[in-house]
Amino acid sequence: YKSLLKKSKDFYGSYGLRGMYRSECSHFLLADKYVLGRLTFEITQFRPPYYEVYRNRETGETVPVAQPGFFYMPNGRQKTNEYQGELFEPYLKQTGNLLECFTFDEKLGHLLPDAITLDLNRYEIALQAGDDVLSVHIPENGPMTPELVDEAFAIAEEFFPAYYPEKKFKAYICSSWLLNTDLQKLLNPQSNILQYQKRFRIVVTSTNWYSIYWHIFGIQQFIPIEQLRPKNRFQQTFVDWVSAGNTLYNGNGYILK
């Protein structure tokens, strides 16, 4: 709560819980969000604006299937505000037991340009709208080592079946700038962030221009990039990246249970 109070003061100018911070606090009071070790887990339902997940009945392979209604640039990323060129909208077409659809690159999470066909005799829907899931959040609370993350998931595996036996959680999900696969170009391969990414099957989705302010610099004043004053190499890396004309994105990841 101290962290929420400070952020609310920084953003709104006075102490108290306002706007998004009041909403954030309410999740803890309503007992649908729990801090378990290094991570926070929120009881919620899957809302798939970008994809649903199919699973091969025999091999267990999962395929995130792109949903219509979102537009992608030729590089497989969602449209940025500045982009004025050609766009592509994925589609779904079912003929009998065959589903023609689009999926995402397994390493980078970008939309692949060619349609694939899933035989629905072999693939089943594994994650869809309304399924119970646990949304994973990363509090700003010190290092996020693999060992601490392992511990948090282990606690969650015991906590939620014990206290919410009626819930049949289908997956862990996470939506965060930390799951932006561009970070693979910017960070040491052994960094805690990239080790965290490896846990999830990631789909890179919407732009997240504010993360450099809120999460990387810890400020909530949207000043020009050139006015940011990096205090360490990590911050400098992102200033250089954005200053070079690159866009920051959100990654949406899942771990099926």
Side-chain angles (χ1 to χ4, degrees), residues 7-52:
K7 289 183 177 182
S8 184
K9 180 180 184 298
D10 291 344
F11 192 79
Y12 293 104
S14 61
Y15 281 110
L17 288 170
R18 304 183 186 180
M20 61 189 131
Y21 301 108
R22 181 183 300 162
S23 174
E24 179 76 6
C25 185
S26 70
H27 285 290
F28 294 100
L29 298 175
L30 292 170
D32 62 11
K33 200 170 188 178
Y34 296 88
V35 179
L36 302 177
R38 181 60 184 85
L39 302 175
T40 300
F41 298 85
E42 178 184 355
I43 299 172
T44 187
Q45 292 183 323
F46 186 61
R47 299 175 179 84
Y50 309 115
Y51 64 93
E52 290 182 331

Side-chain angles (χ1 to χ4, degrees), residues 89-105:
E89 179 185 5
Y91 60 84
L92 299 172
K93 181 180 179 182
Q94 185 171 345
T95 305
N97 286 322
L98 300 179
L99 178 66
E100 185 177 350
C101 56
F102 290 80
T103 188
F104 301 85
D105 177 87

